[in-house]
Amino acid sequence: MEAAYSKLWLDYKPLDITFSGSLAIRCLKGVRRDCAAVSELITALSALLPQAELTFGADSASYIVELDIGGYLGPEDYTLSADERGATILGGSETGLLYGVFAYTRELITEGGFTRISRRVSPALPLRMLDHWDNADGSIERGYSGSSFFFKNGELIISDRTVHYARLLASVGINAAAINNVNVRGDAVRFITPDYYRKLDMLGDLLERWGIKLYLSVDFSAPMSVGGLPSADPLDPRVQSWWKDKAAELFRSVRGLGGFLVKADSEGQPGPYAYGRDHADGANMLARAIQPYGGKVIWRCFVYNCSQNWRDTRTDRACAGYNTFAPLDGRFDDNVILQIKNGPMDFQIREPVHPLFGVMKQTNTAAEFQLAQEYTGQQLHVCCLIPMIKEILAFKTYNGRDKDTVLDMISGAAAVSNTGDSFCWTGSELAGANLYGFGRLCFEPSLPAEDILDEWISLTFGQNEELKEKLLFILLGSRDAYESYTVPLGLGWMCKPNHHYGPDPWGYEFDRWGTYNRADRDAVGVDRGPGGTGYSELYYPPLSDIYGSADTCPDELLLFFCRVPYTHVLKSGKTLIQHIYDSHFEGCEQAEEFARLWRSLEGSLPEQVFKNGCERFREQLRCAAEWRDIVNAFFHRLSGIPDEKGRKLY
Ligand code: GCW
């Protein structure tokens, strides 16, 4: 039977070398023959070198791969050394060893054979997590890749696909997965009841073999919804003891459980505010219940008023996360990690970096990214997010520390997964690069985007220079193009309401979500400077000054921070209105060029991949033209200013 899913970058094909000798794997000391590292090495070597005889431990073999576990390394670290005669992979634990095996395999494939390697790697971030927004009924919130492969009709599914999933994650170093939606609905409320323990235990055990901890999104009001208590007040001793008992039962029943992910007081989810408590009270209560088992609470900072009045220009959603959490710095227990979205609003194609990263100096934090392309083309448009993630991690907060970048401040990163049960996992093959790249960046953030993509292309599609060059061009230019033909200069939210696909410049203008562009006939943008909502003041100087004035604010964020007339001259020398017109035309042209390049790859890609890409590019071009014409018409009609170049603006 044909597999129902692609193996993605783990589709090991024979190497194009002549090796007729014998191969041996030698397991030293504590390395168990049945651990994932050894099984992965066998899988890889027998596929890459199918003609070679593979044995265990034979000293006479012409190439020997020695596996070892060394006490002096961190548990997830590995060292890798290799030459023409063999390789030694040393892990700090079986997990570190597994990462070393994947790195070694990657090297064999990208180098096209045995080479010299000498390297020691420790993951930059201890927590490297994927957050699934999968619902118990099998649907996925903001899922663009089919249905859930974890759940169907309230049941937890474990299949060979689950094993391949674990291998994919481990191969890029992801070590945690929250399997259910942060909006905990339907049967998911009951995941923390005995009904689900047996399956959760199987899943947790399976994932743990590949170094991945299982996380569950939980309902903050579970003491009521599950426990039947009258309250979920975090300071109520009955609530505290309910969670303690629940934690004891859960951690006893489910192997590999890492802890909880919580969305509280956000978009209708229950939280501590209902009882007049704050988010430290809420998070710490849960953290104390699971602390004895080494559990962690990943607590989201996506807290804002989603019932705002659009007439109110003083309340600013961008300030909400900061105002909620900055005053609580230092109050969170050690096993709480605050998960902060990369920007202060919500995963737009361009936002400033969240000011909480700089200010939470005494709290464990993790950055949250969204691989699911909710606002970035829904996996119908190509939009490679790797350069964006790199930019955010490298962002200097100026918070007075010697090491002051986002990467220096966080101890983890999480990404909303873009996966589903589609054949290629991510709906679009090109979206697979985001999943791959996210994991690689959490492990080795200094890797250039181009190198990560180069690696992903080689592993996924094989070594073909022309193919690589074209795909790199498409992927590396894709975010720019998307940004250019959609929303200008950091403005955000000109999409259609609810599903967030396609243009609707006033779709969110008179709504309750706090997402306004304030466009009128003279000007556009939100004044978030000191004379406006004051958001720019939440950054440390010099950023607060830079962002606070239209003279210094970088062009790409201008309309996020400032309200400026259409005749305002940008740093590029163009007027704002002309920039809007030009970038929309240019972005569409870039997308057309990507589609042309893709079509030229017919024959170099598997047919199914090629056809799927063609369909998606067709849709991207259709939608990009809509964006261009509607956004340009919108600003043209409001401003009455013609295009200098005389193009048709409708
Ligand atoms: O942007 C919003 C999404 C919601 C999502 C929420 C969140 C899971 O539109 O679908 O809910 O963000 O991040 O919690």
Side-chain angles (χ1 to χ4, degrees), residues 133 141-142 144 181-183 185 263 266-267 269 300 302 304 317 341 345-348 368 370 374-375 416 493 498 500 508 513:
W133 287 355
E141 180 151 345
R142 312 304 177 187
Y144 310 106
N181 191 354
V182 287
N183 292 323
R185 316 188 173 100
K263 172 176 178 177
S266 169
E267 301 183 333
Q269 292 296 300
R300 295 178 89 226
F302 184 57
Y304 70 101
R317 171 169 165 180
K341 285 194 182 186
M345 298 294 274
D346 192 7
F347 300 136
Q348 301 301 291
E368 180 179 357
Q370 192 186 37
E374 177 175 1
Y375 294 96
V416 179
W493 269 288
N498 307 319
H500 302 156
Y508 275 101
W513 299 96

Short mmCIF file of all heavy atoms in Angstrom, two decimals, residues 133 141-142 144 181-183 185 263 266-267 269 300 302 304 317 341 345-348 368 370 374-375 416 493 498 500 508 513, ligand 1:
data_model
loop_
_atom_site.label_atom_id
_atom_site.label_comp_id
_atom_site.label_asym_id
_atom_site.label_seq_id
_atom_site.Cartn_x
_atom_site.Cartn_y
_atom_site.Cartn_z
N TRP A 133 -2.59 23.31 17.35
CA TRP A 133 -3.91 23.84 17.68
C TRP A 133 -4.96 22.83 17.20
O TRP A 133 -5.97 23.17 16.60
CB TRP A 133 -4.11 25.21 17.06
CG TRP A 133 -3.33 26.30 17.73
CD1 TRP A 133 -2.56 26.21 18.86
CD2 TRP A 133 -3.24 27.69 17.34
NE1 TRP A 133 -2.00 27.43 19.19
CE2 TRP A 133 -2.40 28.35 18.26
CE3 TRP A 133 -3.78 28.43 16.28
CZ2 TRP A 133 -2.10 29.72 18.16
CZ3 TRP A 133 -3.48 29.78 16.19
CH2 TRP A 133 -2.66 30.42 17.12
N GLU A 141 -7.55 24.39 14.49
CA GLU A 141 -7.76 25.83 14.43
C GLU A 141 -6.59 26.44 13.65
O GLU A 141 -5.43 26.17 13.94
CB GLU A 141 -7.82 26.42 15.85
CG GLU A 141 -8.04 27.92 15.85
CD GLU A 141 -8.78 28.43 17.08
OE1 GLU A 141 -9.38 27.62 17.81
OE2 GLU A 141 -8.76 29.65 17.30
N ARG A 142 -6.95 27.22 12.64
CA ARG A 142 -5.94 27.82 11.74
C ARG A 142 -5.06 26.74 11.11
O ARG A 142 -3.84 26.90 10.97
CB ARG A 142 -5.05 28.82 12.49
CG ARG A 142 -5.79 29.82 13.33
CD ARG A 142 -6.81 30.59 12.55
NE ARG A 142 -7.56 31.50 13.39
CZ ARG A 142 -8.62 32.20 12.95
NH1 ARG A 142 -9.04 32.07 11.71
NH2 ARG A 142 -9.25 33.02 13.76
N TYR A 144 -4.05 24.61 7.92
CA TYR A 144 -4.12 24.75 6.45
C TYR A 144 -3.54 23.52 5.77
O TYR A 144 -3.09 23.58 4.63
CB TYR A 144 -3.39 26.04 6.03
CG TYR A 144 -3.86 27.21 6.85
CD1 TYR A 144 -3.06 27.77 7.85
CD2 TYR A 144 -5.15 27.72 6.67
CE1 TYR A 144 -3.52 28.80 8.65
CE2 TYR A 144 -5.62 28.75 7.47
CZ TYR A 144 -4.80 29.28 8.45
OH TYR A 144 -5.27 30.29 9.26
N ASN A 181 -5.12 22.14 21.03
CA ASN A 181 -5.37 23.58 20.92
C ASN A 181 -5.38 24.28 22.28
O ASN A 181 -5.95 23.77 23.25
CB ASN A 181 -6.75 23.73 20.24
CG ASN A 181 -7.05 25.15 19.81
OD1 ASN A 181 -6.30 26.07 20.09
ND2 ASN A 181 -8.16 25.32 19.12
N VAL A 182 -4.80 25.48 22.29
CA VAL A 182 -4.83 26.30 23.51
C VAL A 182 -6.25 26.76 23.85
O VAL A 182 -6.54 27.09 24.99
CB VAL A 182 -3.90 27.52 23.39
CG1 VAL A 182 -2.44 27.10 23.49
CG2 VAL A 182 -4.16 28.31 22.11
N ASN A 183 -7.11 26.82 22.85
CA ASN A 183 -8.53 27.00 23.13
C ASN A 183 -9.05 25.59 23.41
O ASN A 183 -9.25 24.81 22.50
CB ASN A 183 -9.27 27.59 21.93
CG ASN A 183 -8.85 29.02 21.65
OD1 ASN A 183 -8.59 29.79 22.57
ND2 ASN A 183 -8.75 29.38 20.38
N ARG A 185 -11.46 22.93 23.98
CA ARG A 185 -12.90 22.77 23.77
C ARG A 185 -13.26 21.30 23.61
O ARG A 185 -12.42 20.48 23.33
CB ARG A 185 -13.36 23.40 22.46
CG ARG A 185 -12.83 24.72 22.12
CD ARG A 185 -13.57 25.21 20.87
NE ARG A 185 -13.21 26.57 20.57
CZ ARG A 185 -12.32 26.91 19.65
NH1 ARG A 185 -11.75 26.00 18.89
NH2 ARG A 185 -12.01 28.18 19.47
N LYS A 263 -3.61 29.01 27.93
CA LYS A 263 -4.10 30.30 27.44
C LYS A 263 -5.18 30.73 28.42
O LYS A 263 -6.23 30.09 28.51
CB LYS A 263 -4.68 30.11 26.04
CG LYS A 263 -5.41 31.32 25.46
CD LYS A 263 -5.86 31.07 24.02
CE LYS A 263 -6.63 32.25 23.45
NZ LYS A 263 -7.02 32.05 22.03
N SER A 266 -7.94 35.08 27.86
CA SER A 266 -7.62 35.52 26.52
C SER A 266 -8.68 35.00 25.56
O SER A 266 -8.93 33.78 25.53
CB SER A 266 -6.24 34.96 26.16
OG SER A 266 -5.95 35.13 24.80
N GLU A 267 -9.28 35.90 24.84
CA GLU A 267 -10.27 35.54 23.81
C GLU A 267 -11.29 34.53 24.33
O GLU A 267 -11.58 33.54 23.69
CB GLU A 267 -9.55 35.02 22.55
CG GLU A 267 -8.60 36.04 21.96
CD GLU A 267 -7.92 35.60 20.67
OE1 GLU A 267 -7.75 34.39 20.46
OE2 GLU A 267 -7.58 36.50 19.86
N GLN A 269 -11.14 32.51 26.92
CA GLN A 269 -10.69 31.40 27.78
C GLN A 269 -10.70 31.85 29.24
O GLN A 269 -10.36 32.99 29.55
CB GLN A 269 -9.26 30.96 27.38
CG GLN A 269 -9.18 30.31 26.02
CD GLN A 269 -9.94 29.00 25.95
OE1 GLN A 269 -9.67 28.06 26.67
NE2 GLN A 269 -10.95 28.95 25.08
N ARG A 300 0.85 31.52 28.43
CA ARG A 300 0.89 32.46 27.30
C ARG A 300 0.63 33.91 27.72
O ARG A 300 -0.19 34.17 28.61
CB ARG A 300 -0.11 32.05 26.23
CG ARG A 300 0.23 30.72 25.62
CD ARG A 300 -0.79 30.30 24.61
NE ARG A 300 -0.53 30.77 23.28
CZ ARG A 300 -1.44 31.32 22.49
NH1 ARG A 300 -2.67 31.55 22.91
NH2 ARG A 300 -1.14 31.67 21.26
N PHE A 302 -0.49 36.19 25.67
CA PHE A 302 -1.41 36.75 24.67
C PHE A 302 -2.72 37.14 25.37
O PHE A 302 -3.75 36.51 25.22
CB PHE A 302 -1.63 35.69 23.59
CG PHE A 302 -2.48 36.13 22.43
CD1 PHE A 302 -2.13 37.23 21.67
CD2 PHE A 302 -3.62 35.41 22.08
CE1 PHE A 302 -2.91 37.60 20.58
CE2 PHE A 302 -4.40 35.78 21.00
CZ PHE A 302 -4.04 36.89 20.25
N TYR A 304 -5.29 40.28 26.18
CA TYR A 304 -5.70 41.64 25.77
C TYR A 304 -7.21 41.72 25.81
O TYR A 304 -7.90 40.70 25.93
CB TYR A 304 -5.17 41.95 24.36
CG TYR A 304 -5.85 41.15 23.26
CD1 TYR A 304 -6.85 41.73 22.47
CD2 TYR A 304 -5.52 39.81 23.03
CE1 TYR A 304 -7.49 40.99 21.48
CE2 TYR A 304 -6.16 39.08 22.05
CZ TYR A 304 -7.15 39.67 21.27
OH TYR A 304 -7.79 38.94 20.31
N ARG A 317 -4.19 47.80 22.00
CA ARG A 317 -3.94 46.36 22.18
C ARG A 317 -2.45 46.04 22.26
O ARG A 317 -2.05 45.12 22.99
CB ARG A 317 -4.61 45.59 21.03
CG ARG A 317 -4.25 44.14 21.00
CD ARG A 317 -5.14 43.41 20.02
NE ARG A 317 -4.61 42.10 19.72
CZ ARG A 317 -5.17 41.23 18.90
NH1 ARG A 317 -6.29 41.54 18.27
NH2 ARG A 317 -4.63 40.06 18.67
N LYS A 341 4.35 35.97 22.26
CA LYS A 341 4.30 36.02 20.79
C LYS A 341 5.39 36.95 20.27
O LYS A 341 5.74 37.92 20.94
CB LYS A 341 2.93 36.49 20.30
CG LYS A 341 1.84 35.42 20.43
CD LYS A 341 0.58 35.76 19.64
CE LYS A 341 -0.47 34.66 19.86
NZ LYS A 341 -1.68 34.83 19.04
N MET A 345 1.09 42.23 18.76
CA MET A 345 -0.28 42.08 18.28
C MET A 345 -0.59 40.61 18.05
O MET A 345 -0.98 39.93 18.97
CB MET A 345 -0.50 42.92 17.01
CG MET A 345 -0.31 44.43 17.23
SD MET A 345 -1.55 45.14 18.31
CE MET A 345 -2.84 45.50 17.15
N ASP A 346 -0.36 40.13 16.83
CA ASP A 346 -0.73 38.75 16.57
C ASP A 346 -0.22 38.24 15.22
O ASP A 346 -1.00 38.13 14.27
CB ASP A 346 -2.26 38.64 16.64
CG ASP A 346 -2.74 37.20 16.66
OD1 ASP A 346 -1.88 36.31 16.75
OD2 ASP A 346 -3.94 36.98 16.58
N PHE A 347 1.04 37.90 15.16
CA PHE A 347 1.59 37.16 14.01
C PHE A 347 1.32 37.81 12.66
O PHE A 347 1.03 37.11 11.67
CB PHE A 347 1.03 35.73 14.00
CG PHE A 347 1.36 34.91 15.22
CD1 PHE A 347 0.38 34.12 15.83
CD2 PHE A 347 2.64 34.89 15.75
CE1 PHE A 347 0.68 33.33 16.94
CE2 PHE A 347 2.95 34.10 16.87
CZ PHE A 347 1.95 33.33 17.46
N GLN A 348 1.39 39.15 12.61
CA GLN A 348 1.24 39.80 11.31
C GLN A 348 2.55 39.63 10.52
O GLN A 348 3.58 39.26 11.08
CB GLN A 348 0.93 41.29 11.49
CG GLN A 348 -0.34 41.55 12.29
CD GLN A 348 -1.56 40.94 11.64
OE1 GLN A 348 -2.00 41.38 10.59
NE2 GLN A 348 -2.12 39.90 12.25
N GLU A 368 7.19 32.85 20.97
CA GLU A 368 6.20 32.06 20.23
C GLU A 368 6.10 32.58 18.80
O GLU A 368 5.87 33.76 18.57
CB GLU A 368 4.83 32.14 20.92
CG GLU A 368 3.76 31.33 20.21
CD GLU A 368 2.38 31.37 20.89
OE1 GLU A 368 2.25 31.99 21.96
OE2 GLU A 368 1.43 30.79 20.33
N GLN A 370 4.51 31.65 14.68
CA GLN A 370 3.39 30.94 14.07
C GLN A 370 3.79 30.40 12.70
O GLN A 370 3.83 31.14 11.72
CB GLN A 370 2.16 31.86 13.95
CG GLN A 370 0.88 31.08 13.61
CD GLN A 370 -0.32 31.98 13.36
OE1 GLN A 370 -0.18 33.05 12.79
NE2 GLN A 370 -1.51 31.53 13.75
N GLU A 374 -1.42 31.73 9.23
CA GLU A 374 -2.73 32.38 9.35
C GLU A 374 -2.81 33.71 8.58
O GLU A 374 -3.68 33.89 7.75
CB GLU A 374 -3.04 32.60 10.83
CG GLU A 374 -4.35 33.33 11.08
CD GLU A 374 -4.69 33.42 12.55
OE1 GLU A 374 -3.92 32.94 13.40
OE2 GLU A 374 -5.76 33.99 12.85
N TYR A 375 -1.87 34.60 8.90
CA TYR A 375 -1.88 35.92 8.27
C TYR A 375 -0.83 36.02 7.17
O TYR A 375 -0.57 37.09 6.67
CB TYR A 375 -1.59 37.00 9.32
CG TYR A 375 -2.68 37.14 10.36
CD1 TYR A 375 -2.59 36.50 11.59
CD2 TYR A 375 -3.80 37.92 10.11
CE1 TYR A 375 -3.58 36.64 12.54
CE2 TYR A 375 -4.80 38.07 11.06
CZ TYR A 375 -4.68 37.42 12.28
OH TYR A 375 -5.67 37.57 13.22
N VAL A 416 3.59 27.64 16.59
CA VAL A 416 2.31 27.05 16.25
C VAL A 416 2.54 26.21 15.00
O VAL A 416 3.04 26.71 13.99
CB VAL A 416 1.26 28.14 15.97
CG1 VAL A 416 -0.08 27.49 15.60
CG2 VAL A 416 1.11 29.06 17.17
N TRP A 493 -3.49 43.66 9.53
CA TRP A 493 -4.95 43.49 9.55
C TRP A 493 -5.75 44.14 8.45
O TRP A 493 -6.79 44.74 8.71
CB TRP A 493 -5.52 43.96 10.86
CG TRP A 493 -5.56 42.82 11.80
CD1 TRP A 493 -6.40 41.76 11.75
CD2 TRP A 493 -4.70 42.59 12.90
NE1 TRP A 493 -6.12 40.88 12.76
CE2 TRP A 493 -5.07 41.36 13.48
CE3 TRP A 493 -3.62 43.29 13.43
CZ2 TRP A 493 -4.42 40.84 14.58
CZ3 TRP A 493 -2.99 42.77 14.52
CH2 TRP A 493 -3.38 41.56 15.08
N ASN A 498 -12.41 36.98 10.30
CA ASN A 498 -12.57 35.58 10.71
C ASN A 498 -11.54 34.63 10.12
O ASN A 498 -10.66 34.16 10.83
CB ASN A 498 -13.99 35.06 10.42
CG ASN A 498 -15.03 35.98 11.03
OD1 ASN A 498 -14.84 36.45 12.15
ND2 ASN A 498 -16.09 36.28 10.31
N HIS A 500 -9.28 35.39 7.81
CA HIS A 500 -8.01 36.11 7.65
C HIS A 500 -7.28 35.84 6.35
O HIS A 500 -6.06 35.88 6.30
CB HIS A 500 -7.07 35.83 8.84
CG HIS A 500 -7.67 36.21 10.16
ND1 HIS A 500 -7.28 35.67 11.36
CD2 HIS A 500 -8.66 37.09 10.46
CE1 HIS A 500 -8.00 36.19 12.33
NE2 HIS A 500 -8.85 37.05 11.81
N TYR A 508 -11.41 45.05 9.62
CA TYR A 508 -11.26 45.07 11.07
C TYR A 508 -11.30 46.48 11.65
O TYR A 508 -10.93 46.69 12.79
CB TYR A 508 -9.95 44.38 11.47
CG TYR A 508 -10.10 42.88 11.60
CD1 TYR A 508 -9.68 42.02 10.60
CD2 TYR A 508 -10.73 42.34 12.72
CE1 TYR A 508 -9.85 40.65 10.71
CE2 TYR A 508 -10.92 40.97 12.84
CZ TYR A 508 -10.48 40.14 11.83
OH TYR A 508 -10.67 38.78 11.95
N TRP A 513 -11.71 44.18 17.95
CA TRP A 513 -10.47 43.46 18.21
C TRP A 513 -9.23 44.33 18.47
O TRP A 513 -8.15 43.81 18.70
CB TRP A 513 -10.17 42.51 17.05
CG TRP A 513 -11.26 41.50 16.88
CD1 TRP A 513 -12.32 41.57 16.03
CD2 TRP A 513 -11.42 40.28 17.62
NE1 TRP A 513 -13.12 40.47 16.18
CE2 TRP A 513 -12.60 39.66 17.15
CE3 TRP A 513 -10.67 39.66 18.63
CZ2 TRP A 513 -13.06 38.44 17.66
CZ3 TRP A 513 -11.13 38.44 19.13
CH2 TRP A 513 -12.31 37.85 18.65
O1 GCW B 1 -4.80 35.15 16.23
C1 GCW B 1 -5.51 34.40 17.05
C2 GCW B 1 -6.05 33.32 16.20
C3 GCW B 1 -6.80 32.34 17.05
C4 GCW B 1 -5.83 31.80 18.11
C5 GCW B 1 -5.25 32.97 18.90
C6 GCW B 1 -4.21 32.53 19.90
C7 GCW B 1 -5.81 29.67 19.16
O2 GCW B 1 -6.87 33.87 15.20
O3 GCW B 1 -7.28 31.32 16.23
O4 GCW B 1 -6.45 30.88 18.95
O5 GCW B 1 -4.66 33.86 18.03
O6 GCW B 1 -3.04 32.62 19.60
O7 GCW B 1 -4.58 32.11 20.99
#
